[in-house]
Amino acid sequence: MKKSVLVAAVLTATAISGSAMAAVNPFKDLPEGHWAYDAVAMLAEDGVLDGYGDGTFQGGKTMNRYEMAEIVAKASEKYGTAALKDKGVLKKLEREFAAELKDMDVRLTAVESDVKEMKKGMSSFKWWGDARIRHIRNKNSVGVSGGSEAARSEIGTKSQNEMRIRLGLYGEPAENLSVTGQLKAENANIARSDYSHDHYAGKNDEKMSFNRLQLDWHAKNGYTLSAGRNEVKLGQGLIYWENPIDGIMVRKDFKQASLLLGAGDAAAATWSDKAEHAVFADLRVQVSPAVEVTAAYYNSHSDADSSVNYVETRDNGATWENKWSKKNVRRNFQQTALGVNAQLAAKWNLIAEGVHNGADITRSQTIGNADIADRNHRNGFWTRLTYGKLIWDKANTWNVYGEYFALGNLAIDSSGWPHRLNIAGGNGYGGAGARGVGLGVGYMLAPNTNFELTYYRLKPYDTGATAFDRYDDTGYASLTYSF
């Protein structure tokens, strides 16, 4: 039985035409007005006919029974929506080509079996990476309302260039078992400029580390058990965001929510010399397609002290000494955070999160005679409003965002910087905290190549408890690309 492709198309289209045909014909060798135009256009739109790679249909070409059976098989997928009068025609076509259809099923099963067998011997290993070049100003949040620039240069650089590269790997050594790793190398303080206007060049502060080596067991009923150097994200990012914790954690995925519980050592993220034993929890609830609500908890106890710098002052700031003092603060946290991420409209997104640190903080002053109030502020708040639609793999997409900060000196970790913010959030844990606003813009120069520019205007959280009334302006320009 030989039929032309054109005749077969008309027969098949007649059998599955549940509604009027109004599709657009994609084939250049079948002009509008042709007697078979509507039938061919409908089948092409439904995926029953593919044509040839050059955009032609070649309807005059004859076809054998196997080729006709293939069209019938695709047409039968439309059986549920076909008109009642046409279902009988489809059944008749299926009976006519029953032998060929059965043979096609056998062949397809054999191919699937061969593919499955080949996959057993294939490696599941994948790798990826990203790189960033950044020029940043006042990274360590130095205050500038008093004292000389030479004094300020003792604790921080005015600006510096940084480079970072990360290489990631992924593999599936067994069914329901996966491993994710990441190497990170950083080079900071390149072409550094100090507040004393001195300039340096070199490869200072080079570090290379395992950022992640996480083994995941994907168990039944939505449970995932993770062990190793795990990547942790808590809430909307004020506490912890995409940074490592060495330990174990378990996640349970529900229909519209997830719950994460874990414990481990956070020293890998905070660069502490001593262990930081942490327990943590993260609850995410998708209350609607556009709104996610989060609750996070982080409890960390450490024997390590964080050394915070500040300018000595007398007479409530009227008299300044050009010397820096240090205050040691025990790095303990008992943070609870509530947050929301809402897609307000197609191009508008809002993130907001508040945090409270209830830990018992031990503070000691290593250099005396400074007349600065020892006030503790444990609450913090951050929000970001974004406009635009930056798509990472699409060139010429962009977004702009504005941020507001009110971060007490003990609210977040502004020394280790494991959080999501573009700024430290203060001049060190237990220091002056931060209040202020920021602006940022991101633009995709090419697929997977992003340029970002930010600017921040900040002051201490409580100016009455500090020796300065504002921070030097902070900001950066960065170029990031992934591969």
Side-chain angles (χ1 to χ4, degrees), residues 390-395 397 444 446-449:
L390 188 147
I391 303 173
W392 191 258
D393 60 355
K394 188 174 181 179
T397 58
M444 299 305 299
N448 305 313
T449 305

Side-chain angles (χ1 to χ4, degrees), residues 255-286:
K255 187 175 182 181
Q256 292 180 306
S258 68
L259 176 64
L260 176 74
L261 301 173
D265 180 6
T270 62
W271 299 103
S272 173
D273 292 332
K274 298 183 180 180
E276 296 198 11
H277 303 287
V279 294
F280 53 92
D282 180 77
L283 174 65
R284 298 175 181 272
V285 180
Q286 199 71 37

Side-chain angles (χ1 to χ4, degrees), residues 98-150:
E100 287 82 3
L101 290 172
K102 183 178 180 180
D103 189 49
M104 287 169 58
D105 286 339
V106 171
R107 293 184 183 185
L108 182 59
T109 301
V111 170
E112 289 175 345
S113 178
D114 290 343
V115 170
K116 187 176 181 180
E117 196 64 30
M118 285 193 309
K119 282 186 175 181
K120 288 182 180 179
M122 292 175 62
S123 171
S124 62
F125 175 80
K126 300 175 184 177
W127 72 278
W128 71 93
D130 63 64
R132 183 182 71 189
I133 303 170
R134 181 169 71 172
H135 174 81
I136 187 167
R137 178 185 175 91
N138 196 27
K139 183 177 181 178
N140 296 323
S141 300
V142 177
V144 297
S145 62
S148 70
E149 288 201 348

Side-chain angles (χ1 to χ4, degrees), residues 3 37 47 74 87 94 166 275 282 318 332 349 385 427 475:
K3 282 186 171 62
Y37 181 90
K74 288 185 177 181
K87 290 185 177 181
E94 288 175 356
R166 298 185 296 188
D282 180 77
N332 290 341
N349 178 263
L385 181 64
N427 59 346

Side-chain angles (χ1 to χ4, degrees), residues 8-10 12-13 16 38-50 71 75:
V10 174
T12 308
I16 63 173
D38 287 340
V40 172
M42 187 194 78
L43 293 182
E45 187 176 77
D46 289 344
V48 178
L49 289 176
D50 298 324
I71 291 180

Side-chain angles (χ1 to χ4, degrees), residues 35-267:
W35 63 273
Y37 181 90
D38 287 340
V40 172
M42 187 194 78
L43 293 182
E45 187 176 77
D46 289 344
V48 178
L49 289 176
D50 298 324
Y52 292 83
D54 59 358
T56 62
F57 174 59
Q58 299 185 19
K61 180 181 178 182
T62 59
M63 62 194 314
N64 57 36
R65 288 183 62 89
Y66 276 105
E67 292 170 322
M68 182 63 191
E70 186 177 358
I71 291 180
V72 172
K74 288 185 177 181
S76 296
E77 296 174 3
K78 302 287 183 179
Y79 183 85
T81 57
L84 183 62
K85 64 183 179 64
D86 295 328
K87 290 185 177 181
V89 179
L90 276 174
K91 287 296 184 182
K92 185 177 180 181
L93 286 170
E94 288 175 356
R95 287 194 296 271
E96 171 67 27
F97 295 96
E100 287 82 3
L101 290 172
K102 183 178 180 180
D103 189 49
M104 287 169 58
D105 286 339
V106 171
R107 293 184 183 185
L108 182 59
T109 301
V111 170
E112 289 175 345
S113 178
D114 290 343
V115 170
K116 187 176 181 180
E117 196 64 30
M118 285 193 309
K119 282 186 175 181
K120 288 182 180 179
M122 292 175 62
S123 171
S124 62
F125 175 80
K126 300 175 184 177
W127 72 278
W128 71 93
D130 63 64
R132 183 182 71 189
I133 303 170
R134 181 169 71 172
H135 174 81
I136 187 167
R137 178 185 175 91
N138 196 27
K139 183 177 181 178
N140 296 323
S141 300
V142 177
V144 297
S145 62
S148 70
E149 288 201 348
R152 294 198 298 274
S153 70
E154 292 181 22
I155 68 157
T157 57
K158 191 169 187 177
S159 64
Q160 64 193 54
N161 297 328
E162 300 176 344
M163 294 189 298
R164 183 190 73 185
I165 185 168
R166 298 185 296 188
L167 298 176
L169 60 91
Y170 176 83
E172 296 175 358
E175 188 176 2
N176 298 327
L177 198 66
S178 64
V179 60
T180 308
Q182 189 182 63
L183 284 169
K184 180 174 72 171
E186 294 179 281
N187 190 324
N189 286 343
I190 307 167
R192 188 182 85 210
S193 173
D194 282 351
Y195 281 89
S196 60
H197 303 296
D198 291 332
H199 294 268
Y200 300 88
K203 49 180 186 176
N204 302 315
D205 298 335
E206 284 198 350
K207 297 186 283 283
M208 184 171 182
S209 63
F210 272 106
N211 206 39
R212 189 178 184 185
L213 192 56
Q214 178 174 333
L215 185 66
D216 294 319
W217 175 41
H218 307 282
K220 295 180 180 180
N221 301 321
Y223 284 95
T224 300
L225 180 65
S226 304
R229 179 157 290 183
N230 307 307
E231 182 181 83
V232 176
K233 296 194 297 185
L234 300 179
Q236 300 301 327
L238 262 184
I239 299 176
Y240 222 88
W241 192 258
E242 294 181 345
N243 268 298
I245 289 183
D246 298 335
I248 189 169
M249 61 187 189
V250 60
R251 189 183 76 242
K252 166 64 175 175
D253 292 318
F254 302 93
K255 187 175 182 181
Q256 292 180 306
S258 68
L259 176 64
L260 176 74
L261 301 173
D265 180 6

